[in-house]
């Protein structure tokens, strides 16, 4: 789990993992690589990286492409690996699990302009569930969801992350307490690392 004050670099780290921004621009006195599944992200094709990383961002606007919701959920899956009927059946199952039947077959608009913030996040969660990637990034995944639906979505996320490596950004105490490892970020740098108990006791690495 990543935690720290707003603007400290948490979301930037998740974007580096996704290969969404350049790792290090010229002129910066920085070295190192971001590696995913043993591969250097900077040297990995985006479509290959997308196979192993699923993401649900706080503001997923850039992930919508003016398609109907079913196509948005299944966007990026390769038909030769997943037969169309299998994709269709799985999309229908996920739609039922998330109770988003009202969004099915609806055009989402460019950048999700026809959807509320919560609806965008629910479709993003559905897409991540369908992809079933071994690594899942959750950047405030329920931030825009209304309280009455949040419990339902949390249950869906719990199913999504079973048996996977999770990188999450959240501010809820329960999430922090249950994290296997917490990385405290301060002004773009790793400040502390440890479990919740270790951080409370001051026994974390610095």
């Amino acid at each position: 789990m990543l935690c720290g004050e707003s603007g400290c670099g948490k979301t930037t780290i998740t974007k580096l993992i996704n290969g969404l921004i350049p790792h290090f621009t010229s002129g910066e006195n920085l070295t190192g690589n971001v590696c995913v599944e043993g591969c250097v992200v900077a040297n990995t094709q985006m479509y290959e990286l997308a196979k192993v990383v699923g993401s649900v961002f706080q503001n997923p606007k850039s992930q919508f492409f003016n398609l109907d919701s079913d196509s948005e959920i299944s966007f990026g899956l390769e038909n030769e690996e997943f037969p169309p009927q299998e994709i269709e059946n799985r999309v229908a199952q996920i739609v039922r699990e998330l109770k988003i039947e009202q969004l099915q077959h609806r055009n989402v608009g460019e950048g999700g302009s026809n959807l509320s913030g919560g609806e965008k996040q629910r479709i993003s969660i559905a897409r991540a569930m369908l992809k079933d990637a071994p690594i899942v990034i959750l950047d405030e995944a329920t931030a825009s969801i209304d309280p009455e639906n949040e419990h339902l979505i949390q249950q869906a996320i719990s199913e999504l992350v079973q048996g996977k490596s999770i990188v999450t950004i959240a501010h809820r105490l329960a999430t922090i307490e249950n994290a296997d490892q917490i990385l405290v970020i301060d002004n773009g740098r790793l400040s502390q690392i440890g479990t919740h108990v270790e951080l409370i006791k001051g026994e974390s690495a610095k």
Side-chain angles (χ1 to χ4, degrees):
M1 175 179 170
L2 303 175
C3 68
E5 296 180 357
S6 296
C8 71
K10 302 184 298 295
T11 295
T12 298
I13 291 173
T14 63
K15 289 182 177 180
L16 285 169
I17 296 171
N18 266 298
L20 297 178
I21 57 177
H23 285 64
F24 305 117
T25 58
S26 59
E28 290 182 334
N29 186 26
L30 298 171
T31 59
N33 291 303
V34 176
C35 296
V36 172
E37 295 283 281
C39 299
V40 177
V41 169
N43 300 332
T44 304
Q45 296 290 332
M46 286 293 293
Y47 73 90
E48 292 291 344
L49 191 60
K51 291 179 181 179
V52 296
V53 180
S55 302
V56 182
F57 289 111
Q58 183 174 357
N59 181 15
K61 177 179 177 180
S62 63
Q63 296 177 303
F64 290 93
F65 308 98
N66 200 24
L67 304 172
D68 67 84
S69 59
D70 285 17
S71 297
E72 292 285 351
I73 292 171
S74 60
F75 184 85
L77 291 183
E78 298 178 3
N79 290 340
E80 61 268 25
E81 293 185 13
F82 301 92
Q85 189 59 52
E86 180 182 335
I87 293 176
E88 184 178 334
N89 292 341
R90 181 62 179 139
V91 167
Q93 178 185 347
I94 291 170
V95 165
R96 289 193 299 271
E97 290 174 359
L98 293 178
K99 298 189 179 348
I100 53 175
E101 290 89 346
Q102 74 276 14
L103 300 180
Q104 201 163 20
H105 311 306
R106 175 173 149 193
N107 187 280
V108 305
E110 191 68 37
S113 58
N114 295 335
L115 303 175
S116 68
E119 288 171 338
K120 291 177 190 176
Q121 284 190 304
R122 291 166 83 172
I123 287 182
S124 294
I125 292 167
R127 181 185 293 163
M129 291 177 71
L130 180 64
K131 181 185 286 189
D132 198 27
I135 299 171
V136 180
I137 295 175
L138 303 173
D139 184 352
E140 288 290 349
T142 61
S144 298
I145 295 173
D146 55 275
E148 67 183 50
N149 287 314
E150 185 174 2
H151 179 65
L152 171 70
I153 301 304
Q154 288 288 8
Q155 286 183 318
I157 290 176
S158 295
E159 177 185 330
L160 165 65
V161 302
Q162 288 296 319
K164 297 176 173 57
S165 297
I166 313 302
V167 179
T168 182
I169 297 174
H171 299 103
R172 297 180 185 277
L173 181 59
T175 306
I176 295 173
E177 289 177 336
N178 295 330
D180 293 327
Q181 193 171 68
I182 301 169
L183 280 67
V184 182
I185 311 301
D186 182 18
N187 196 29
R189 297 182 180 276
L190 179 62
S191 172
Q192 297 181 75
I193 182 171
T195 65
H196 180 259
V197 172
E198 289 171 341
L199 291 171
I200 292 296
K201 291 182 177 180
E203 299 173 352
S204 61
K206 297 182 179 181

